[in-house]
Amino acid sequence: MTKKLYIKTYGCQMNVYDSERMAEALDGYEQVNSPDGADMILLNTCHIREKAAEKIYSELGRYRGLKEANPDLKIGVAGCVAQAEGEEVMRRQPLVDIVVGPQSYHRLPELEAKAARGEKALDTDFPEEDKFEKLKTRPKAQRGPTAFLTVQEGCDKFCAFCVVPYTRGAEVSRPVARVLAEAEDLVSRGVREITLLGQNVNAYHGADGGETWGLARLIRRLAEIDELKRIRFTTSHPNDMEDDLITAHGDCEKLMPYLHLPVQSGSDRILKRMARKHTAAEYIRLIERIREARPDLLLSGDFIVGFPEETEEDFQATMALIEAVNYGQAYSFKYSSRPGTPAAERAEVDPEVAADRLQRLQALLTRQQKAAQDAMVGREIDVLFEKPGRLPGQMVGKSGYLHAVHVTGEVAVGQISRVRITESGPNSLGGTLL
Ligand code: SAM
Ligand code: SF4
């Protein structure tokens, strides 16, 4: 009998992708949308901020009743909390049967068998073998028109605040042939838009025989797949934004006019203390060059406020950078100290001061985002339709700039249609099919 698997995913898009691959690794299970009645619950976790890890423990506590009702229920913790805390997860929450890190989830079937024998199963190795090689095909992938494809993992940059180099390990790129094969497979299942993923995706350097391909070359090759209509990539580091990738934004039609390029701070002093290895002026100049290649580019970023030793003057430099760049989308976070990172040793900013700064920064970013969205009204753009909307006859899709767009009319999922934008709502655009 097919067993039921419930996976709850936290954190970044790479985790969304990994959750799909974990479901594929577990033969004999079908994925369900609720933990009630499940035979296995997997939490695919994020460790980027302290709150993220605490959320996992409170979620686990909620499964006590389910486990009491069904002692055969197996509970697993995967992802970066599993990697960072290892056995501690089981000590802190004895309900947990399986702990598996992001580099070893292809071993889930063996871990599940061990748990079925009533033993605790733990694997947080960084194994030699490639998990993607073990999980070659994507048999369960029931595809909508968009998909994530991880091409690169891990990070060697060691920004002073960040756990990724510790939880995801050293930077590794998947070979070109495997990425192409997976993309072809996805497209044959109806995918029309692929987002290439990596913690530092623009540092991609995939092997192809004796050669090494950068991200721009990979994108150009993917663009040759006829039925693949749109390509995106995330997340990028400013220092890896090489000339050919900038050029690709101008001349590769399938590469969408949206770029997520985190800067974290606009203060050179703080950027240095963060070990970002570039200045605010260098970042602004880089943005200018990318916009020369693609003037309508919508820019997105990440910001950390209240990094240790940040003064009001440093914060004002971040606000000035935001004014200078003008973001169409952004994510901002209050600094969260992560054990084992260099910044964890430093004097923290008063939490109330940090909260106040975050509020001011978010107000500015929200204004910019709203202005970028409102500026779409009156324009004619292509929309890739993804699913029916909430109202009868309504369909929802995405613009090239990643704005959600809804229309009323006859249009199929997976179709790209021309739409005139007529209204800008709180979180989406409305338009009419042309
Ligand atoms: N590799 C990407 C880069 O360099 O921009 C970022 C990857 S990280 C998973 C996503 C975002 O989380 C970062 O850009 C940063 O803004 C935020 N972040 C990471 N560590 C953090 C911390 N300790 N406290 C607050 N935010 C953090
Ligand atoms: Fe973390 Fe990104 Fe810095 Fe790597 S480049 S350490 S993933 S913030």
Side-chain angles (χ1 to χ4, degrees):
M1 206 182 69
T2 316
K3 293 192 204 168
K4 293 192 172 69
L5 168 68
Y6 171 68
I7 306 187
K8 185 160 180 171
T9 307
Y10 297 81
C12 65
Q13 289 138 326
M14 301 200 65
N15 268 8
V16 174
Y17 176 85
D18 286 348
S19 290
E20 286 180 17
R21 305 301 311 251
M22 285 195 262
E24 289 161 12
L26 284 165
D27 263 345
Y29 279 87
E30 63 165 345
Q31 223 173 320
V32 293
N33 294 326
S34 156
D36 301 322
D39 299 285
M40 188 189 295
I41 296 175
L42 272 182
L43 299 186
N44 192 11
T45 62
C46 172
H47 201 240
I48 201 82
R49 281 170 291 277
E50 195 179 356
K51 274 210 187 105
E54 287 313 310
K55 261 199 234 160
I56 304 303
Y57 287 105
S58 66
E59 181 73 16
L60 284 168
R62 272 184 232 136
Y63 298 144
R64 184 173 306 283
L66 292 177
K67 186 100 168 176
E68 278 164 9
N70 172 18
D72 290 335
L73 166 67
K74 299 298 170 225
I75 298 180
V77 175
C80 292
V81 173
Q83 189 64 43
E85 307 214 339
E87 258 174 293
E88 177 64 20
V89 177
M90 288 161 167
R91 258 198 298 274
R92 227 177 122 175
Q93 182 44 274
L95 290 177
V96 174
D97 304 285
I98 298 173
V99 171
V100 60
Q103 301 308 342
S104 36
Y105 61 67
H106 55 289
R107 296 176 179 165
L108 262 174
E110 294 123 73
L111 297 169
E112 188 243 14
K114 198 169 171 192
R117 295 195 297 272
E119 297 167 42
K120 296 275 183 195
L122 170 93
D123 192 337
T124 50
D125 290 349
F126 287 93
E128 279 295 305
E129 79 262 15
D130 176 357
K131 68 183 176 212
F132 298 117
E133 191 48 10
K134 295 272 167 191
L135 299 170
K136 258 195 189 125
T137 59
R138 313 219 39 195
K140 292 186 189 167
Q142 284 169 8
R143 301 299 345 179
T146 64
F148 292 133
L149 201 176
T150 293
V151 299
Q152 181 273 345
E153 271 196 293
C155 183
D156 297 335
K157 294 243 176 340
F158 290 92
C159 298
F161 50 81
C162 184
V163 288
V164 168
Y166 310 95
T167 56
R168 291 268 171 172
E171 207 253 282
V172 185
S173 293
R174 292 177 70 190
V176 171
R178 299 215 193 119
V179 173
L180 295 180
E182 191 170 327
E184 299 266 10
D185 182 48
L186 289 168
V187 170
S188 76
R189 293 168 198 273
V191 169
R192 297 292 168 260
E193 171 180 307
I194 290 181
T195 303
L196 304 174
L197 297 182
Q199 258 92 27
N200 241 306
V201 72
N202 57 343
Y204 178 80
H205 57 281
D208 178 41
E211 276 189 285
T212 303
W213 288 32
L215 187 67
R217 187 165 173 196
L218 184 71
I219 289 170
R220 289 184 199 280
R221 173 64 187 79
L222 285 167
E224 288 171 15
I225 302 174
D226 227 20
E227 289 300 293
L228 179 63
K229 304 297 182 195
R230 291 178 161 193
I231 303 169
R232 305 178 185 276
F233 61 91
T234 197
T235 296
S236 299
H237 192 290
N239 289 0
D240 292 316
M241 213 56 215
E242 286 178 356
D243 290 350
D244 56 349
L245 191 54
I246 297 177
T247 313
H249 275 283
D251 64 18
C252 179
E253 255 180 55
K254 291 185 178 179
L255 183 58
M256 290 296 102
Y258 180 100
L259 178 66
H260 183 62
L261 197 62
V263 64
Q264 318 297 355
S265 169
S267 152
D268 287 346
R269 198 178 71 85
I270 294 295
L271 284 169
K272 195 161 185 189
R273 294 292 279 155
M274 287 177 162
R276 293 290 292 185
K277 300 193 172 70
H278 63 76
T279 63
E282 281 161 354
Y283 178 83
I284 290 172
R285 175 70 197 124
L286 175 63
I287 300 299
E288 284 167 1
R289 287 178 54 218
I290 306 167
R291 281 187 170 143
E292 276 162 26
R294 182 80 204 219
D296 65 335
L297 188 89
L298 189 140
L299 205 84
S300 162
D302 286 348
F303 298 89
I304 296 178
V305 300
F307 185 75
E309 302 154 12
E310 183 190 72
T311 62
E312 178 62 23
E313 197 184 341
D314 293 318
F315 173 70
Q316 285 306 330
T318 303
M319 296 290 272
L321 178 138
I322 295 172
E323 294 280 9
V325 170
N326 193 14
Y327 289 88
Q329 168 68 35
Y331 304 89
S332 47
F333 314 97
K334 195 151 60 144
Y335 167 74
S336 170
S337 170
R338 307 314 287 129
T341 59
E345 311 292 316
R346 304 181 193 159
E348 284 195 37
V349 171
D350 179 330
E352 276 179 30
V353 172
D356 173 64
R357 286 180 194 161
L358 184 64
Q359 209 176 21
R360 285 185 279 155
L361 179 118
Q362 287 183 337
L364 173 58
L365 287 169
T366 306
R367 269 205 308 281
Q368 292 191 345
Q369 280 172 51
K370 182 81 177 95
Q373 195 189 292
D374 291 350
M376 299 302 296
V377 175
R379 283 186 59 183
E380 289 178 11
I381 55 167
D382 285 335
V383 175
L384 169 59
F385 285 95
E386 294 179 12
K387 57 185 183 196
R390 274 183 294 120
L391 302 177
Q394 203 181 51
M395 289 292 287
V396 185
K398 294 268 166 59
S399 74
Y401 312 98
L402 265 188
H403 288 125
V405 179
H406 56 85
V407 300
T408 304
E410 283 290 304
V411 58
V413 167
Q415 193 176 317
I416 296 181
S417 300
R418 207 80 186 142
V419 172
R420 179 177 297 116
I421 302 299
T422 53
E423 58 178 312
S424 173
N427 300 307
S428 65
L429 296 166
T432 46
L433 287 166
L434 294 174

